[in-house]
Amino acid sequence: MAPRVISIIGGLDADLIMVTNRMPEESESLRANSYHETLGGKGAHSAIATYRTCHTNSPNHYKVQEDPTVPTSNEDFYVTLKPPIDNSDDDNIQVRMVGAVGDDQYSELFRTELKKNGVDTTGLVTIPGERSSVCFVIVEHCTGEKRSLCTLGATGAWKEENFMNVEDLAHGPRPDLVIAQMEIRKEVVQRMIETAGKAGIDFLLNAAPASPITAPSYKYITHLLVNESEAAILSGRELYDVNQGTWPIIAQEFLGRGVQNVVITLGEKGAYYATVNENGYIPAYKVNVVDKTGAGDTFTGAYGSEYLRQKVAGEWDIKKAITRANKAAALTIGKLGAQEGIPWADEIDEFDAEPNLTTL
């Protein structure tokens, strides 16, 4: 049986991380405790999270095959590569990354890291003469809170015409689910949504960083994942107007626009969800926080992989998907660096922390 396909369309960037005791004040210079360089980007994080959360941590996952072709133009988009690993003992789900990197030192690093984690990189394009995106991250040691500033870099090369056809969505096969963020320009994201929706392909939009999208796009969104600040931007509210009393109202507005499943992630408080048939609240978990970078992306990947697993089985329980995603996110924030902390399926299955029932 051919594998089910999840396509992740999003950004990849080099994360340059400074860990400090506290965030600097305006015009203040501080000495950082440590400096780290990791590979990041919401697209890359979500791709690795999607793959790991539906596969067990086997030594085979670290076998990397040499990539015979580095695509650099539209003509090279659909080069077929052999899968990097044997997934016969796991869910029959293939994860494909569609993204752009510069012709710099990060290009091959991303390909190697993604393939090491089971992600197909056929759709990873190198843009000649462009630099990869870079993200400067400040992490507060005591709280794990972060501040980020990112360049668009090669991610800005995508245009609407790159996603006009179904085969563009996964650079080859028809995907069963497309997951996208908004690191790519919103006009391009809207084109992806429309192309997928008109073809009957499920679409999960993690609207981060948030930018209002046109009303017609919502009817093609199967899953909308937003945090409170993103919910404020997309619903036209101030952040202080997004709270426990307005979560149901905001979610209902998105459902009214045509979205099928709405999830408002609440950080340490958990997540609020709504569909046309039900709504409710799922708590997060009590864990020691080291670095919150990538928690939302891990939630997205775990939620997406669980959705497809359930769909294959002919069922859909959104509460189960959010609970699993909350567990994955909790495991992620226990380590420094977003990709380092992303858990595998067996780690999520074994996770037994207590729900955080005191945060609301």
Side-chain angles (χ1 to χ4, degrees):
M1 178 179 173
R4 300 286 180 157
V5 175
I6 300 178
S7 176
I8 315 297
I9 309 175
L12 307 94
D13 57 57
D15 286 345
L16 312 182
I17 305 171
M18 293 279 192
V19 180
T20 180
N21 288 331
R22 62 176 177 82
M23 294 292 173
E25 301 292 340
E26 183 178 353
S27 301
E28 182 184 20
S29 297
L30 292 179
R31 187 184 301 277
N33 297 346
S34 59
Y35 171 75
H36 309 268
E37 293 188 14
T38 63
L39 298 177
K42 300 186 73 63
H45 293 162
S46 297
I48 291 175
T50 301
Y51 184 86
R52 286 190 183 183
T53 54
C54 61
H55 295 83
T56 56
N57 188 5
S58 164
N60 288 335
H61 290 105
Y62 296 95
K63 293 181 180 179
V64 180
Q65 294 184 359
E66 183 178 353
D67 190 343
T69 304
V70 177
T72 58
S73 66
N74 286 342
E75 288 75 23
D76 298 320
F77 273 171
Y78 306 116
V79 175
T80 300
L81 302 180
K82 294 181 179 179
I85 60 175
D86 179 7
N87 301 332
S88 58
D89 60 337
D90 287 307
D91 291 293
N92 194 22
I93 295 176
Q94 181 187 53
V95 178
R96 299 172 70 89
M97 178 77 226
V98 177
V101 292
D103 58 352
D104 51 28
Q105 71 270 31
Y106 298 115
S107 175
E108 286 308 309
L109 291 175
F110 271 113
R111 285 186 170 82
T112 299
E113 188 66 19
L114 287 167
K115 287 191 286 185
K116 186 176 77 173
N117 284 278
V119 179
D120 185 291
T121 61
T122 307
L124 189 55
V125 179
T126 298
I127 307 299
E130 185 61 82
R131 292 180 60 87
S132 297
S133 174
V134 175
C135 189
F136 293 99
V137 183
I138 301 176
V139 177
E140 193 171 65
H141 174 70
C142 295
T143 65
E145 294 291 345
K146 67 179 180 69
R147 302 288 188 275
S148 301
L149 186 65
C150 304
T151 65
L152 193 58
T155 301
W158 293 114
K159 297 178 175 60
E160 290 186 59
E161 52 262 37
N162 295 129
F163 298 99
M164 299 296 292
N165 304 305
V166 168
E167 57 267 27
D168 299 329
L169 298 173
H171 283 203
R174 176 188 171 95
D176 297 277
L177 173 66
V178 175
I179 298 176
Q181 300 81 26
M182 299 195 71
E183 292 172 305
I184 298 172
R185 293 187 179 92
K186 73 174 183 179
E187 294 81 6
V188 181
V189 175
Q190 288 168 177
R191 176 59 63 187
M192 300 173 199
I193 295 171
E194 182 177 342
T195 298
K198 289 184 176 180
I201 296 171
D202 290 328
F203 200 100
L204 189 164
L205 178 64
N206 174 213
S211 179
I213 60 175
T214 58
S217 298
Y218 284 98
K219 65 184 177 183
Y220 297 124
I221 298 175
T222 316
H223 307 273
L224 178 64
L225 274 56
V226 289
N227 63 22
E228 289 180 287
S229 64
E230 294 152 5
I233 292 171
L234 266 64
S235 67
R237 288 174 168 81
E238 298 295 334
L239 180 56
Y240 58 75
D241 287 328
V242 181
N243 51 56
Q244 188 174 355
T246 60
W247 298 336
I249 298 171
I250 295 169
Q252 187 57 50
E253 289 176 3
F254 290 134
L255 293 174
R257 297 176 190 178
V259 178
Q260 296 179 38
N261 302 273
V262 178
V263 180
I264 303 175
T265 57
L266 309 168
E268 65 180 12
K269 297 190 292 289
Y272 177 85
Y273 69 91
T275 71
V276 294
N277 298 316
E278 61 178 322
N279 62 78
Y281 164 77
I282 306 292
Y285 292 88
K286 296 179 180 179
V287 294
N288 180 43
V289 179
V290 176
D291 180 6
K292 295 182 179 180
T293 306
D297 305 325
T298 298
F299 183 100
T300 297
Y303 177 97
S305 67
E306 178 63 20
Y307 168 72
L308 190 55
R309 292 168 75 178
Q310 289 192 37
K311 184 176 181 179
V312 171
E315 60 189 45
W316 174 228
D317 183 345
I318 190 172
K319 298 184 294 296
K320 180 180 178 182
I322 293 173
T323 298
R324 188 170 182 83
N326 276 344
K327 290 180 178 182
L331 286 162
T332 299
I333 63 178
K335 296 180 181 179
L336 180 65
Q339 292 182 12
E340 288 77 1
I342 297 172
W344 295 85
D346 47 326
E347 296 177 88
I348 301 173
D349 294 339
E350 295 166 3
F351 181 76
D352 61 355
E354 292 293 322
N356 191 359
L357 301 176
T358 63
T359 52
L360 285 183

